[in-house]
Amino acid sequence: MTATSSNQWVDSSNKSNPEAINKAKRILKSVIYCSLSTCSQDAFPWVSPVFYAYDDKFNLYWSSAIDALHSQNINRNYGRLAIAIYNSAAEEGTGEGLYLNGGAFPLKLKEAASAFEILQQRAGKILDRTAEDYVGDSPRRIYKFTPAEIWVTGERFPIGRQLVDTKIQIDINAIIDSL
């Protein structure tokens, strides 16, 4: 289905669209911060920018304090959250974004060790800590996010004197296969 007002301006007609997949990969590789969008159980929204890394299965990783509001919201809402990845310095009208929803959880030591290596590689430097610093009594955890749905910025349609932004839905397996 092409993007229209009745489907909230989302094009889901070709979820394996190579151009959309390439745009999503370019955004994923070039932007090192994402915005976590969480919500409290009483519907108070919260957004937190975090440095992130990703693996070849399109899982995202970041570290956060367990007492941070976004971490508490993730815990209280069964891991559910949305993520936006975009270049915040883009000129007006030229922005592109990658949009995800899915679930996240803090990692135990074994998974935290491999995620820590991914984060360290993305940071491009040796960090002065280890994966053990994110488990047990530590105030911080490494979180893993697995997307359930993915979208990327689509065309901007003129409607009268206004432009309407659209999104293109991407098949998760299609993007994983291309990483």
Side-chain angles (χ1 to χ4, degrees):
M1 171 182 293
T2 59
T4 65
S5 63
S6 64
N7 66 12
Q8 300 175 341
W9 299 105
V10 174
D11 180 349
S12 59
S13 64
N14 181 3
K15 294 182 179 182
S16 297
N17 177 325
E19 288 179 28
I21 290 171
N22 287 334
K23 182 188 290 187
K25 288 182 353 185
R26 182 173 36 79
I27 294 167
L28 185 70
K29 291 176 182 178
S30 66
V31 179
I32 62 171
Y33 285 90
C34 68
S35 294
L36 309 178
S37 177
T38 64
C39 191
S40 68
Q41 286 185 319
D42 58 347
F44 183 79
W46 190 253
V47 178
S48 302
V50 297
F51 171 81
Y52 78 96
Y54 61 93
D55 64 18
D56 60 357
K57 299 292 185 199
F58 209 81
N59 297 302
L60 274 58
Y61 302 93
W62 68 89
S63 67
S64 288
I66 56 178
D67 290 335
L69 185 54
H70 62 271
S71 298
Q72 292 299 307
N73 287 345
I74 290 168
N75 183 50
R76 290 182 185 124
N77 286 302
Y78 311 101
R80 294 181 301 213
L81 73 149
I83 294 178
I85 304 172
Y86 59 95
N87 176 356
S88 64
E91 292 184 31
E92 192 280 326
T94 66
E96 299 178 317
L98 185 56
Y99 311 88
L100 312 115
N101 74 31
F105 58 91
L107 297 177
K108 305 273 190 233
L109 181 58
K110 185 177 179 180
E111 282 190 289
S114 60
F116 181 79
E117 291 301 319
I118 293 169
L119 284 160
Q120 186 167 252
Q121 183 177 8
R122 177 85 161 176
K125 60 184 177 181
I126 302 297
L127 303 174
D128 64 349
R129 51 197 171 276
T130 67
E132 289 82 9
D133 294 321
Y134 295 93
V135 295
D137 292 338
S138 172
R140 295 180 64 83
R141 295 290 183 265
I142 294 177
Y143 288 81
K144 176 182 181 180
F145 171 84
T146 301
E149 296 181 289
I150 303 170
W151 303 265
V152 69
T153 304
E155 295 180 49
R156 298 180 87 200
F157 289 141
I159 306 290
R161 294 178 18 201
Q162 302 291 326
L163 290 175
V164 175
D165 295 325
T166 67
K167 292 179 180 54
I168 301 168
Q169 190 166 17
I170 298 175
D171 177 71
I172 293 170
N173 291 320
I175 199 162
I176 290 171
D177 291 343
S178 74
L179 288 176

